[in-house]
Amino acid sequence: MKIIMLGAPGAGKGTQAKKIAEKYMIPHISTGDIFRANIKNGTELGKKAKTYMDQGLLVPDELVVDLVVDRVGQDDAKNGYVLDGFPRTIPQAQALDSALEAIGEKVDYAINVEVPDENIIRRMSGRRACVACGATYHLVHIPPKQEGICDTCGKELILRDDDKPETVKKRLDVYHEQTQPLIDYYTEKGILKEVDGTVDMADVFAAITDILGA
Ligand code: ADP
Ligand code: AMP
């Protein structure tokens, strides 16, 4: 099963993608996590990506596409995967489709997690992410057991640099301009599924499993 998660930054794509990955035993592939790991490790890719991410801009397609095509070709992805944060532009979607077509495969579902902009800013300012394992929490909705500490690995939780309100506004503009057109793209392909992302995360997940099947 090959699944794409669509939605604004902060809509809950990562939260749901992790649950999908666990239930359907497929890898969760987050391009944002891949870039953050590269930044942490001081790689050339990380240095390049950071200059865009800090401004709330998208990393150029040529730095993203090969990385994802390579990742989905790895062994653990042969029964499918859930892509979170990719594609974010029409050229990225086309590149993924051609790479899959070349091996006789295709994306099965594009799940759009719908959350209005008003809710997004609130969500992002409350998001806390683990510096070590990438787990995400929300100060109000999904608090960690101990303040500032990751439940999973015990490391420190931080507010991401790009979750500061002024950067979130820019990211939302970029989303509407460059990523939202993917909704029409996947509607035309007949694989778009919409879920209401404003409800409790367990209810969002129930809506997704209704779509994907048991
Ligand atoms: P994305 O991957 O789309 O950027 P996240 O999954 O990181 O978004 O979610 C953004 C923030 O909103 C996080 O702090 C997360 O804990 C919180 N969140 C996710 N889903 C819900 C929900 N259904 N209700 C309330 N808060 C949520
Ligand atoms: P995310 O963790 O998905 O919110 O991504 C964080 C940031 O990483 C984004 O704001 C972009 O700057 C960059 N990024 C992640 N995925 C992509 C992508 N597919 N294309 C371009 N930039 C990306």
Coordinates of all heavy atoms in Angstrom, one line a residue, residues 6 14 58-59 67 103-104 115 121 125 163 167 174-175 201 209-210:
L6 N -1.4 14.4 2.5 CA -1.4 15.8 2.1 C -2.0 16.6 3.2 O -2.8 16.1 4.0 CB -2.3 16.0 0.8 CG -1.8 15.4 -0.5 CD1 -2.8 15.6 -1.6 CD2 -0.4 16.0 -0.9
G14 N 2.1 14.0 10.1 CA 3.1 13.2 10.8 C 2.5 12.3 11.9 O 2.8 11.1 12.0
L58 N 10.2 26.1 0.7 CA 10.5 24.7 0.3 C 11.9 24.6 -0.2 O 12.5 25.4 -0.8 CB 9.6 24.3 -0.8 CG 8.1 24.3 -0.5 CD1 7.3 23.7 -1.7 CD2 7.8 23.4 0.7
V59 N 12.5 23.4 0.2 CA 13.8 23.0 -0.3 C 13.6 22.8 -1.9 O 12.6 22.2 -2.2 CB 14.3 21.8 0.4 CG1 15.6 21.2 -0.2 CG2 14.4 22.1 1.9
L67 N 16.4 11.9 -3.5 CA 16.4 11.3 -2.2 C 15.2 10.4 -1.9 O 15.3 9.3 -1.4 CB 16.4 12.5 -1.3 CG 16.5 12.5 0.2 CD1 17.4 13.6 0.7 CD2 15.2 12.5 0.9
I103 N 8.5 1.2 -13.0 CA 8.6 -0.1 -12.4 C 7.2 -0.7 -12.3 O 7.0 -1.7 -11.5 CB 9.4 -0.1 -11.0 CG1 8.8 0.9 -10.1 CG2 10.9 0.1 -11.2 CD1 9.3 0.8 -8.7
G104 N 6.3 -0.2 -13.0 CA 4.9 -0.7 -13.1 C 4.1 -0.6 -11.8 O 3.2 -1.4 -11.5
V115 N -7.4 21.0 7.7 CA -7.5 21.8 8.9 C -7.4 23.3 8.4 O -6.5 23.6 7.7 CB -6.3 21.5 9.9 CG1 -6.3 22.5 11.0 CG2 -6.4 20.1 10.4
I121 N -2.0 27.9 13.2 CA -1.1 28.7 14.0 C -1.1 28.2 15.4 O 0.0 28.1 16.0 CB -1.4 30.2 13.8 CG1 -1.5 30.5 12.3 CG2 -0.4 31.1 14.6 CD1 -0.7 31.6 11.7
S125 N 2.3 26.5 17.4 CA 3.0 27.1 18.5 C 3.0 26.1 19.7 O 3.8 26.2 20.6 CB 2.3 28.4 18.9 OG 1.0 28.2 19.2
D163 N 8.6 26.6 13.5 CA 7.2 26.6 14.1 C 7.0 28.0 14.8 O 5.9 28.2 15.4 CB 7.0 25.5 15.1 CG 6.7 24.2 14.4 OD1 6.4 24.2 13.1 OD2 6.6 23.1 15.0
T167 N 7.2 32.4 10.9 CA 7.6 31.4 9.9 C 6.4 30.6 9.5 O 6.3 30.2 8.3 CB 8.8 30.5 10.4 OG1 9.7 31.3 11.1 CG2 9.5 29.8 9.3
V174 N 3.2 29.5 1.4 CA 3.9 28.6 0.5 C 3.0 27.3 0.2 O 2.9 26.8 -0.9 CB 5.3 28.1 1.1 CG1 5.9 27.0 0.3 CG2 6.2 29.3 1.0
Y175 N 2.4 26.8 1.3 CA 1.5 25.7 1.1 C 0.4 26.0 0.1 O 0.1 25.2 -0.8 CB 0.9 25.3 2.5 CG -0.3 24.3 2.3 CD1 0.0 23.0 2.0 CD2 -1.6 24.8 2.4 CE1 -1.1 22.1 1.8 CE2 -2.6 23.9 2.2 CZ -2.4 22.6 1.9 OH -3.4 21.7 1.6
M201 N -7.4 13.2 17.5 CA -6.5 12.5 16.6 C -6.9 11.0 16.5 O -6.7 10.4 15.4 CB -5.0 12.5 17.0 CG -4.7 12.0 18.4 SD -3.0 12.3 18.7 CE -2.4 10.6 18.6
T209 N -8.5 4.8 8.7 CA -8.6 3.3 8.6 C -9.9 2.8 7.9 O -9.9 1.8 7.2 CB -8.4 2.6 9.9 OG1 -9.4 3.1 10.8 CG2 -7.1 2.8 10.5
D210 N -10.9 3.6 7.9 CA -12.1 3.4 7.2 C -11.8 3.4 5.7 O -12.3 2.6 4.9 CB -13.2 4.4 7.4 CG -14.1 4.1 8.6 OD1 -13.9 3.0 9.2 OD2 -14.9 4.9 9.0

